[in-house]
Amino acid sequence: MRGRTAWAAAGGAVALVLVTATGAHAEGRGDVRVVKTVVNGGGNVIVGTAKAIRYPVDITVKDNSGVKGLTHVSTFNRTRLYGFADWNDDSSCTKKSATTSVCRATLTIDPAWIADSDDIDSNKLAGVWQINATVKANDGDYWISDDIAEYKVKRAAQLTTVIAPEKVAKNAKVTVTGKLSRANWEDRKYHGFPGQQVKLQFRKKGSAHYATVKTVTTGNVGQLSTKVTVTSAGSWRWYFPGTTTTSLKTSAGDTLDLK
């Protein structure tokens, strides 16, 4: 990837191309315009500690002469005004009409690059990001467009559920525990996420759906623990709805049977 090559050539200098905002503007020549932009199919971009994440940016462009393509795509956190996603200068356009095409660029975020992309805590870059792009028409028209889409880049979450004991008499109490953690982009490990509200959910044996039983707040290292009275066999799980900077996560269910 370009970002990794740049880091290696610099001998340990800042890794990725550090994208800095220059202020909102849209300028160029002619009537070519961006009319719609969809990032990652409309979903959040979830980044963990190991796997490189590739996600599409679909930009609908219109010009009376037809669309030639994209000449620049960048993205960064709207508050911090820089980011660590990389575009390989590749894109493809699908013609929808004589005047309109949808051009797709693919961005990459590799956790191995993140910590070296700036000199602050990179975790602060989780949140709302924006897309900038320059588009070009067949007749030479071009347009430099800032903030054509906003989306969220989030830290991946992990969530576990454990029931003890797993087989009890009806109306007995059991303890349901678990842990909520999230990716730390600096050391590429998962750490407990304290002070978060997590829903305990139950699905009765034979049912297709879970229902929320109670809400529990995570402890100082992300731990969860509560007691419940069991009236039927079924499966228990924790559900975390996520935050602006951390992904939604549902644990695997843990099954409990009656004696």
Side-chain angles (χ1 to χ4, degrees):
M1 303 295 295
R2 186 182 61 210
R4 182 174 296 174
T5 302
W7 174 78
V14 172
L16 300 175
V17 176
L18 197 59
V19 180
T20 303
T22 56
H25 69 281
E27 59 186 42
R29 181 182 68 199
D31 60 350
V32 62
R33 294 292 186 276
V34 171
V35 297
K36 181 180 179 181
T37 304
V38 179
V39 182
N40 200 34
N44 298 321
V45 176
I46 310 302
V47 182
T49 61
K51 182 181 177 182
I53 304 300
R54 291 171 57 83
Y55 59 101
V57 180
D58 294 313
I59 302 173
T60 303
V61 186
K62 186 174 183 179
D63 184 84
N64 60 2
S65 71
V67 176
K68 187 170 184 179
L70 308 175
T71 59
H72 175 77
V73 177
S74 62
T75 186
F76 49 85
N77 178 283
R78 283 182 55 79
T79 301
R80 297 286 173 172
L81 304 184
Y82 54 88
F84 41 66
D86 188 49
W87 179 49
N88 280 342
D89 296 331
D90 59 338
S91 62
S92 60
C93 295
T94 302
K95 188 174 181 179
K96 298 299 182 179
S97 71
T99 61
T100 305
S101 293
V102 177
C103 297
R104 169 168 286 193
T106 301
L107 299 176
T108 302
I109 297 177
D110 190 331
W113 303 342
I114 295 176
D116 292 320
S117 68
D118 57 65
D119 57 2
I120 66 166
D121 181 357
S122 298
N123 296 302
K124 294 179 180 179
L125 296 182
V128 180
W129 286 40
Q130 75 177 58
I131 295 286
N132 292 357
T134 302
V135 298
K136 194 170 184 179
N138 289 329
D139 59 4
D141 290 353
Y142 70 94
W143 202 253
I144 303 168
S145 302
D146 281 4
D147 203 6
I148 56 175
E150 296 177 8
Y151 66 107
K152 292 184 177 69
V153 177
K154 295 189 176 188
R155 297 162 65 178
Q158 293 183 338
L159 188 57
T160 60
T161 300
V162 177
I163 296 175
E166 293 187 338
K167 193 169 186 178
V168 296
K170 186 176 181 179
N171 295 320
K173 285 187 175 295
V174 297
T175 301
V176 185
T177 60
K179 183 175 181 178
L180 174 66
S181 56
R182 62 174 174 170
N184 184 306
W185 293 335
E186 289 289 303
D187 63 10
R188 296 173 61 194
K189 296 179 181 178
Y190 282 84
H191 297 269
F193 194 9
Q196 303 302 306
Q197 291 194 326
V198 182
K199 299 178 186 297
L200 179 64
Q201 298 182 329
F202 175 68
R203 183 183 67 192
K204 187 176 181 179
K205 188 175 182 179
S207 173
H209 303 289
Y210 280 88
T212 297
V213 175
K214 62 169 66 177
T215 300
V216 178
T217 301
T218 56
N220 60 353
V221 290
Q223 72 273 27
L224 291 157
S225 183
T226 190
K227 290 185 180 294
V228 292
T229 300
V230 176
T231 58
S232 60
S235 181
W236 294 83
R237 72 181 187 185
W238 294 104
Y239 168 77
F240 173 59
T243 68
T244 300
T245 61
T246 305
S247 70
L248 173 156
K249 189 65 178 180
T250 304
S251 73
D254 196 5
T255 301
L256 184 144
D257 292 319
L258 296 181
K259 290 181 179 179

